[in-house]
Amino acid sequence: MSNTEVKTSRSMIKFVLTIFIIAILVALTYLLFFTPGEPTPVAQSVNEVAR
């Protein structure tokens, strides 16, 4: 491979890894700070509605 192809490949890998890391950080931020409190079990909710 020529020098240009090597630089291009490295740049594309850096770009993809950067996007992947940003996506992971956004997902972790959402899960840790923006998820609502205690969830109620679905089965329990269905049983209460049926009564």
Side-chain angles (χ1 to χ4, degrees):
M1 285 200 292
S2 69
N3 191 23
T4 306
E5 291 174 347
V6 171
K7 286 182 181 179
T8 305
S9 295
R10 287 183 184 164
S11 296
M12 284 190 288
I13 290 172
K14 285 181 186 178
F15 180 72
V16 170
L17 288 176
T18 302
I19 290 176
F20 187 71
I21 290 170
I22 290 172
I24 289 174
L25 290 175
V26 168
L28 285 174
T29 302
Y30 172 75
L31 288 173
L32 294 175
F33 297 111
F34 297 107
T35 352
E38 286 292 319
T40 58
V42 176
Q44 181 181 1
S45 298
V46 171
N47 289 338
E48 289 175 3
V49 171
R51 289 182 186 177

